[in-house]
Amino acid sequence: MSATSAAPTGAEPSSPARRPGVVLAVIVITQLMVILDGTVVNIAMPKIQTALDFSPANLSWVQNAYALAFGGLLLLGARAGDLLGRRRVFITGVSVFTLASALGGLAPTAELLLAARVLQGIGGAIAAPAALTLLMLTFKEGPERMKALGLYSLVSSGGASIGLVLGGMLTDWVSWRWGLFINIPIGIALVIAARRVLTETPCEQGRFDVAGALTSTVGITALVYGFIRVAEAGWSSPEVLASFAAGVALLVVFVLVERRVSHPIVPLRMFKNADRVAAYLTMLLVVGTMFGMFFFLTQFLQGVLRFSPLAAGLAFLPMTGLLFASSRIVPRLTGRVDNGLMMIAGAISVLAGMLWLTRITLDSSYLGGVVGPLILFGAGAGLIFIPLTGRALAGVPAEDAGAASGLLNVLQQVGGALGLGILVTVFGTATRNATPSAGNPVDAAREILTDGVHAAFIGSAVYAGLTLLVIVLGVRPWLRRRAVKPGTATEPAAVEPVAVDSHF
């Protein structure tokens, strides 16, 4: 869960950075904090549901409220740094995020927690793009910058697993509220340090595409809301139909706005390249698959297998460990192994893991029914994400590099929220129609939960199958690339790699 927008590719600091090591620490800790918040509450979902009386369908909004606000406003947040100064915007974003964490931790009702999660997403969307840009401006192009970006990417890929374990520890040992409270001292320290060591950047001339940001964010939110409400109200509900109609209408308005404004948050020319469109669609689908698996497997581990929150967090380590390892290994394979074939192999592995998970029953064990799928998932996702990023950014003009990388990150958040919304509908329908055989209410509840999770995993398997199909159609392995004779053609100018999160 986080996203970043690229800095100007050849940019140098406007003035010498003060204490570059401290600057890097501030930026990396901010990135870790933003990513942790995407997973630290995931493992606490059952406790949050009980404490604040969430319905099973509405519980997904604890995740989606953050993801939609964060992803929907990310590109606008990046533009804010350009126009208002990145140090000022960074401090504002971290301050909003910290305040929202305090409000969320104190929230006495479900509605106030969701409001706090939206505010957290807004703070993250303001702070995250400015953080990466400040990193690019602080460290000169070359070994120094690559080291800094390596550490930044390491935190991006490993932060999700840390969030799961930390969330489990805090939920198990103290309270789920401390998954939010922990951001308060970190945020205060970051603001103090940022004021002392970060150098302000000059403000650029231009305008905010507020209309584009609002129509896209509200439009996607309306669609997700419609899917989630289907689980309780049904497809014929006026509320559901109105949500879908509003979502489609707002997204149409969004496209019209982006065609006319002088500084669009999403330049529509980005979609003229078929390979890039396939990469964007792949990101939507693969992250939707993973968000669904993550959310519902957490419910199964704690509600059926009776894992504690800490044990449930540790249970995901086989997958997150492989994701972390792949972030180190896959770049070395690039150039030796065709990237498209790596993505196909990864999609097959993810699909196999998801199909395996559809076999879980009330009697399944962790070692027999969960570890294997997690290993296949981790290995497959690792083979997909890095080549996918390269395909999405290949041939992008330097002036569009920020928009291209930012859009890919937005699609991570939106794809996860939309996928989870659809799978919640599948889960809700299955639980409503479940007919438990157990007379004991506790055992009956476990049966119903298992039926719902099983149905959601089937939906995730369909998502995984669509992911494989899109990758195959995008890569087109049956077509041989024609060899380019020296002097007859040139490769498109390479865009300097930008950091794109490979977590979920």
Side-chain angles (χ1 to χ4, degrees), residues 297 300-302 304-307 310-320 356-357 360-375:
L297 188 55
F300 181 78
L301 289 173
Q302 296 187 55
V304 178
L305 298 187
R306 303 300 190 192
F307 278 29
L310 176 57
L314 293 172
F316 283 96
L317 286 181
M319 178 180 62
T320 50
W356 191 345
L357 275 179
I360 64 164
T361 65
L362 195 62
D363 299 321
S364 296
S365 67
Y366 173 71
L367 291 177
V370 177
V371 171
L374 287 178
I375 290 173

Side-chain angles (χ1 to χ4, degrees), residues 13 31 55 57 94 151 218 257 299 351 476:
Q31 177 71 356
S55 70
V94 173
L151 182 57
V218 179
V257 168
Q299 309 299 310
L351 177 58
R476 298 182 295 276

Side-chain angles (χ1 to χ4, degrees), residues 3-267:
T4 50
S5 184
T9 53
E12 300 297 340
S14 55
S15 60
R18 293 170 285 180
R19 305 181 192 173
V22 180
V23 172
L24 180 59
V26 168
I27 292 168
V28 167
I29 292 172
T30 301
Q31 177 71 356
L32 180 61
M33 183 175 69
V34 171
I35 289 178
L36 282 177
D37 219 70
T39 57
V40 75
V41 299
N42 203 315
I43 212 71
M45 290 292 191
K47 298 284 188 182
I48 294 174
Q49 181 178 7
T50 301
L52 299 183
D53 197 27
F54 274 97
S55 70
N58 289 336
L59 183 64
S60 62
W61 280 108
V62 178
Q63 180 71 30
N64 284 346
Y66 178 81
L68 288 170
F70 187 79
L73 298 176
L74 179 71
L75 295 178
L76 191 65
R79 186 69 178 146
D82 296 337
L83 298 179
L84 303 177
R86 296 179 180 96
R87 175 180 178 270
R88 180 181 297 111
V89 167
F90 174 81
I91 291 173
T92 300
V94 173
S95 300
V96 171
F97 190 93
T98 304
L99 176 62
S101 298
L103 294 176
L106 295 169
T109 65
E111 292 77 12
L112 288 177
L113 176 61
L114 294 182
R117 291 291 283 168
V118 170
L119 196 58
Q120 277 187 308
I122 294 172
I126 295 171
L132 180 57
T133 305
L134 287 166
L135 181 149
M136 300 290 281
L137 294 174
T138 299
F139 295 92
K140 295 180 180 179
E141 186 174 345
E144 286 185 2
R145 181 180 291 178
M146 292 310 296
K147 270 187 192 177
L149 282 175
L151 182 57
Y152 184 92
S153 298
L154 184 64
V155 167
S156 296
S157 59
S161 60
I162 297 172
L164 287 170
V165 177
L166 181 62
M169 291 170 59
L170 293 171
T171 302
D172 225 11
W173 297 346
V174 191
S175 165
W176 65 266
R177 296 181 182 276
W178 276 93
L180 298 167
F181 284 148
I182 194 171
N183 294 326
I184 299 173
I186 297 174
I188 292 172
L190 287 172
V191 169
I192 294 172
R195 289 184 178 278
R196 294 183 177 180
V197 301
L198 295 184
T199 303
E200 185 59 279
T201 59
C203 301
E204 299 177 6
Q205 298 296 318
R207 296 180 179 179
F208 286 109
D209 181 14
V210 177
L214 290 179
T215 52
S216 61
T217 303
V218 179
I220 292 292
T221 301
L223 290 180
V224 173
Y225 179 79
F227 279 114
I228 290 175
R229 287 299 299 157
V230 166
E232 295 181 346
W235 287 98
S236 60
S237 165
E239 181 184 9
V240 170
L241 295 176
S243 295
F244 285 139
V248 172
L250 284 168
L251 291 178
V252 170
V253 172
F254 166 70
V255 173
L256 296 176
V257 168
E258 297 306 278
R259 292 179 62 181
R260 297 181 180 182
V261 296
S262 57
H263 295 88
I265 59 170
V266 179

